[in-house]
Amino acid sequence: MRVTIYDIAREAKVGIGTVSRVFNNHPSVSDETRERVLNVANRLNYHPHPYARGLARKRTNSVLAVIPFFTTFFFVEVFKGVQSKLNELDCDLILYGVNHPDQVASSVRRGALRGRVDGILFFSMKAPLELFEQYVAQRIPIVLVDTDHEKFDSLFVENVAGASLATRHLISLGHRRIGMLSASLESRPAKERVEGFRKAMKEAGLSVPAEYVKVAASTELDGFTREAGYQTMKEFLAMGNQMPTALFVSSDIQAAGALQALTEGGKSCPDDIAIVSFDDIELASHLGLTTMRQPMHAMGELAVDMLFQRIKDPQAPVQHKKFKPELVIRKTCGAVLGEKASKVEAGVRSV
């Protein structure tokens, strides 16, 4: 684990502000305190991050993150990466949750202007372009995460490609009656995953009856919930013998609910229906879920790196980083581990 400014402050028995002033050669620190802090830093082999050393003195040491909701497992994992990198940079994180698209602009404005932040991380929603351009003019850098726009630095997962790979895996196992359990199509990731599913089915020459794609009725967290997966799987079970033999589910947490509904309905996975989901949250390994792994922690770290690169060099070319999700083979798809899975394409792992 990396040593942070908090570790230095604790060991030297001073506040983090004092440690910061020592590293910035502020004249208000006594020689005795300065020597004690530097001795602790040397003993712990601490080196200030190069971004932090190179930035202007007028920073607020805080970053605003605007997210569509607080409680999904995807954001929990991403923010572990964000917080890890911000701790390394001795910066604070300010979170604003948006419950409705109409609140996006006000949330960004409130957080950026009242909080006087050094930069903004904006997650998974359509970028309010006119508002963002105002902040760029004010030299407040913005990085888009899990969404993109040509004018701003961004990083995102290739949802269409990931969903296509998941679907092709099910096809490779011999399934032809394949359905999809989706989250709300108001969510861009969910919409793109449906697109990827349909793309793979079309390329394989397989039809998708309308009743084989079911969208979560719940609007809570855009349908990315266990309850939404549970209720939607009940709709598939109601089809009886006409239900699909395999399902692509748009998130692991929905798949957890779907598995519960299957058990209660007297069905088993993968014997009665095979499942591949998306995310690879920690719960997925415990449930034996075959899933598309998103590099969530790495995305959080890279988002912060990109933001601080933009702070340091506002005139640098705009960057767009893409992540291709990896297919992780477990029990729910019914594959023979390491055999059929390896025939789909590169980017497949059996565990």
Side-chain angles (χ1 to χ4, degrees), residues 16-278:
I16 59 172
T18 299
V19 177
S20 179
R21 286 190 288 273
V22 169
F23 290 135
N24 284 304
N25 295 316
H26 198 281
S28 66
V29 182
S30 69
D31 291 340
E32 179 185 353
T33 299
R34 186 184 309 277
E35 183 177 1
R36 184 165 76 252
V37 169
L38 292 176
N39 285 339
V40 170
N42 288 332
R43 176 164 55 83
L44 297 181
N45 197 30
Y46 173 80
H47 301 286
H49 194 282
Y51 290 155
R53 289 201 304 265
L55 295 176
R57 296 282 180 90
K58 294 183 179 180
R59 285 180 48 213
T60 66
N61 290 327
S62 61
V63 168
L64 171 69
V66 182
I67 60 177
F69 23 68
F70 284 110
T71 56
T72 68
F73 287 89
F74 170 80
F75 288 118
V76 169
E77 294 300 323
V78 171
F79 276 106
K80 286 180 181 178
V82 169
Q83 191 64 63
S84 173
K85 183 60 68 170
L86 287 178
N87 283 343
E88 180 184 331
L89 296 169
D90 305 324
C91 284
D92 294 323
L93 177 64
I94 300 171
L95 285 177
Y96 271 84
V98 178
N99 295 319
H100 191 277
D102 292 344
Q103 298 176 342
V104 171
S106 61
S107 293
V108 175
R109 185 178 294 109
R110 186 166 57 248
L113 297 184
R114 293 183 183 177
R116 298 195 319 240
V117 297
D118 294 323
I120 299 172
L121 297 175
F122 186 82
F123 289 79
S124 301
M125 296 173 286
K126 184 178 180 180
L129 183 59
E130 183 176 342
L131 179 64
F132 279 4
E133 288 178 336
Q134 294 177 19
Y135 293 129
V136 170
Q138 297 169 21
R139 296 186 178 181
I140 300 177
I142 296 167
V143 171
L144 309 181
V145 186
D146 198 34
T147 185
D148 66 294
H149 191 283
E150 61 182 8
K151 291 189 175 183
F152 303 102
D153 295 320
S154 65
L155 63 156
F156 52 92
V157 168
E158 294 182 309
N159 285 298
V160 175
S164 292
L165 175 55
T167 307
R168 289 197 298 275
H169 175 60
L170 291 170
I171 294 170
S172 77
L173 298 176
H175 294 284
R176 295 298 177 266
R177 289 163 45 198
I178 305 173
M180 182 169 178
L181 192 162
S182 176
S184 169
L185 299 185
E186 293 297 315
S187 160
R188 176 173 171 174
K191 185 176 181 179
E192 290 178 343
R193 290 168 198 176
V194 171
E195 180 184 344
F197 164 75
R198 291 189 179 279
K199 180 175 182 287
M201 293 293 283
K202 182 178 180 180
E203 289 174 349
L206 299 175
S207 62
V208 182
E211 63 271 22
Y212 272 26
V213 177
K214 297 188 184 298
V215 177
S218 172
T219 58
E220 181 185 2
L221 303 183
D222 280 342
F224 286 107
T225 66
R226 184 192 295 261
E227 179 64 19
Y230 176 83
Q231 295 296 341
T232 310
M233 178 56 84
K234 281 192 167 183
E235 295 178 26
F236 278 110
L237 288 169
M239 297 173 66
N241 292 333
Q242 300 304 310
M243 71 182 294
T245 63
L247 281 181
F248 170 50
V249 183
S250 58
S251 70
D252 292 342
I253 192 61
Q254 290 171 284
L259 289 173
Q260 180 184 350
L262 280 174
T263 300
E264 292 179 4
K267 302 290 185 181
S268 66
C269 177
D271 295 336
D272 294 306
I273 187 166
I275 287 177
V276 177
S277 54
F278 210 105

